[in-house]
Amino acid sequence: MVVREISPGIYAVGAIDWERRLFDALIPLPQGTSYNAYLVQGSEKTALIDTVDPSRELDLITNLVSLGVERIDYLVVNHAEQDHAGTVPMVLELYPGSKVLCSEKCRDLLVRLEGIGAERCEVVGDGAAIPLGGRTLRFLSTPYVHWPETILTYEETSRFLFSCDLFGCHLATSELYCDDFLTIAQYSKRYFAEIMMPFRKSIAKYLDRIGGLPLAGIAPSHGPIYRDPAPVLAAYREWSGDCLSNHVVIPYVSMHGSVRMMVMRLCDTLMGAGVKVHPFDLTVTDIGDLATTLVDAATLVIGTPTVLFGAHPQVIGAAHLANLLRPRARFATVIGSYGWGGNAVDQIKGVLTHLEVEFLDPVMAHGAPDAKVLQDIDRLGMAIRDRHASLGLM
Ligand SMILES: Cc1cc2nc3c(=O)[nH]c(=O)nc-3n(C[C@H](O)[C@H](O)[C@H](O)COP(=O)(O)O)c2cc1C
Ligand SMILES: [Fe+2]
Ligand SMILES: [Fe+2]
């Protein structure tokens, strides 16, 4: 890992994790990730903003040593999750004079998760400022992006916003900056879907505040830095607003082909009616891709066989995940197949409690879909098209 200056006296000192393929024991990382940390040197004080995942602590320490950093006065902890705060204990040990600046909730989490003495922490409230000499750190309280303790740090002289997870993306790249948002938009949207989507209503409010700051750049703690913040701010406004798209997401499992026939028929019907479809065979699906399509799809259709009197366990898992992510979809239903009986439909409805959706009539086949079931699937497709048209999506 190399140290790179992003503004006079401000250095990127974090680590790139090219090899990591799973995050939070859940989220696939097809392109690795990075844990960005930033050193801000004022004429009087030096601050380190965030640290790195404990698996990469050597990279951070090596970077600090190569910069000749002998003193860290303040260690800003925007967020207590271990991928950013996991090396806080090591930094506090190596720099005994340093003090953690964080929110009150973050202090409590650092005590619990990292075993840090509360006396090493100074709580900073919303709007508090810490002068470093020629530079000033100002803190914005932004609870639930995506933990309750989160703050963002704005450096007033450089006009850089250090936004930690917000605006981040899981992408290992040698590019320090992203100067063309389109090149990373898919990773940014995926990250929003996986991490930020459940909190989109709070995020929409924070965007107004962030948009009002004079900004020379946004430096998140995963992925590249934005020298032009406008495109990522515009994308976040879109993803966290109320704008839906004419898309249907269809996660499904089929053991022996019946549900698959129904899903394929629905895809054909919808495409013929001008509606876009995203079928996901859950046995081979990257759940990050599924989450990404849920950001703005207007409809969710879940396909499941009946297994031991209920929905397939893998379908339950995906429905549970979709429910936790709280996508904006306005319509949902279930299609499926059974051999002798069960309650797959009610079970899935019972999982999707956080969705603010109209449930359309489900379609269940007794065994393989016959002509009547396929007609019902066609009717469902037309009902979805009509709903999308009524929202002006097509
Ligand atoms: C392991 C297993 C368990 C099943 N349990 C049930 C059940 O409890 N109730 C039921 O109606 N059908 C049950 N079935 C039958 C399937 O739901 C039925 O064959 C369905 O058409 C399968 O759809 P698929 O071809 O898309 O996998 C079970 C099938 C398998 C393989
Ligand atoms: Fe996080
Ligand atoms: Fe993170």
Side-chain angles (χ1 to χ4, degrees):
M1 182 61 196
V2 292
V3 174
R4 290 174 288 185
E5 192 172 43
I6 62 170
S7 179
I10 303 185
Y11 303 90
V13 293
I16 300 177
D17 199 336
W18 301 96
E19 293 162 342
R20 188 160 178 184
R21 286 294 173 267
L22 194 64
F23 195 81
D24 287 351
L26 177 69
I27 299 167
L29 300 179
Q31 301 293 331
T33 189
S34 67
Y35 319 109
N36 305 339
Y38 301 96
L39 189 85
V40 183
Q41 274 178 336
S43 58
E44 282 156 31
K45 306 275 188 195
T46 298
L48 176 63
I49 301 178
D50 293 320
T51 70
V52 299
D53 190 87
S55 63
R56 287 292 183 278
E57 69 182 12
L58 202 57
D59 292 13
L60 174 64
I61 303 306
T62 307
N63 287 343
L64 294 174
V65 168
S66 81
L67 261 181
V69 178
E70 287 174 358
R71 221 186 61 203
I72 290 176
D73 301 284
Y74 303 115
L75 172 49
V76 177
V77 180
N78 282 321
H79 175 32
E81 192 171 355
Q82 289 83 341
D83 55 328
H84 309 294
T87 306
V88 168
M90 170 68 90
V91 172
L92 292 184
E93 205 178 313
L94 289 178
Y95 296 91
S98 61
K99 180 178 275 188
V100 169
L101 302 180
C102 63
S103 70
E104 192 175 348
K105 281 208 170 81
C106 187
R107 179 193 61 194
D108 298 344
L109 282 167
L110 289 174
V111 170
R112 292 277 158 200
L113 298 176
E114 301 295 339
I116 288 163
E119 73 286 352
R120 293 292 302 263
C121 303
E122 180 178 324
V123 168
V124 288
D126 184 55
I130 295 281
L132 304 177
R135 304 186 181 287
T136 302
L137 302 179
R138 196 171 284 280
F139 305 102
L140 284 76
S141 172
T142 51
Y144 287 106
V145 292
H146 58 128
W147 281 19
E149 86 301 13
T150 312
I151 59 170
L152 313 182
T153 302
Y154 178 67
E155 200 287 299
E156 293 184 342
T157 308
S158 63
R159 299 178 169 182
F160 263 87
L161 178 70
F162 299 93
S163 62
C164 202
D165 279 341
L166 190 64
F167 310 121
C169 69
H170 287 308
L171 178 62
T173 169
S174 55
E175 300 295 326
L176 181 59
Y177 300 107
C178 166
D179 288 330
D180 178 0
F181 183 66
L182 286 181
T183 60
I184 67 154
Q186 59 171 314
Y187 303 107
S188 180
K189 188 173 186 180
R190 181 185 168 102
Y191 188 89
F192 175 88
E194 294 161 339
I195 308 287
M196 298 295 165
M197 184 152 63
F199 310 104
R200 64 186 178 85
K201 287 183 183 154
S202 323
I203 289 171
K205 283 187 222 138
Y206 304 146
L207 290 177
D208 292 338
R209 200 165 165 208
I210 292 166
L213 294 170
L215 281 178
I218 293 180
S221 290
H222 299 286
I225 295 168
Y226 303 99
R227 280 189 285 214
D228 175 8
V232 71
L233 287 174
Y236 261 65
R237 275 198 196 95
E238 197 184 310
W239 301 332
S240 60
D242 291 322
C243 198
L244 288 169
S245 69
N246 178 31
H247 291 233
V248 179
V249 181
I250 315 173
Y252 70 95
V253 165
S254 185
M255 301 179 294
H256 299 292
S258 294
V259 173
R260 186 177 175 280
M261 285 165 66
M262 299 168 77
V263 168
M264 293 307 145
R265 176 70 168 228
L266 182 61
C267 287
D268 289 350
T269 306
L270 287 169
M271 283 191 290
V275 179
K276 290 170 188 154
V277 295
H278 302 273
F280 287 101
D281 172 356
L282 291 170
T283 61
V284 293
T285 291
D286 173 329
I287 53 156
D289 291 337
L290 172 62
T292 306
T293 61
L294 285 170
V295 170
D296 42 27
T299 299
L300 171 64
V301 177
I302 293 188
T304 187
T306 304
V307 175
L308 300 175
F309 300 101
H312 190 284
Q314 215 151 345
V315 173
I316 295 284
H320 180 59
L321 180 67
N323 188 54
L324 295 179
L325 294 177
R326 295 172 184 256
R328 293 178 284 184
R330 296 280 301 277
F331 312 104
T333 194
V334 179
I335 60 176
S337 176
Y338 64 97
W340 47 92
N343 65 351
V345 172
D346 288 341
Q347 205 182 13
I348 290 170
K349 275 190 179 175
V351 169
L352 298 178
T353 51
H354 292 155
L355 269 56
E356 293 167 20
V357 290
E358 175 194 351
F359 271 102
L360 306 177
D361 287 340
V363 180
M364 289 301 283
H366 191 172
D370 58 13
K372 154 102 182 33
V373 165
L374 295 178
Q375 268 176 14
D376 289 345
I377 290 281
D378 291 346
R379 257 195 292 277
L380 172 62
M382 291 308 150
I384 291 170
R385 184 212 46 198
D386 292 348
R387 298 297 195 287
H388 285 203
S390 74
L391 292 181
L393 303 180
M394 51 190 301

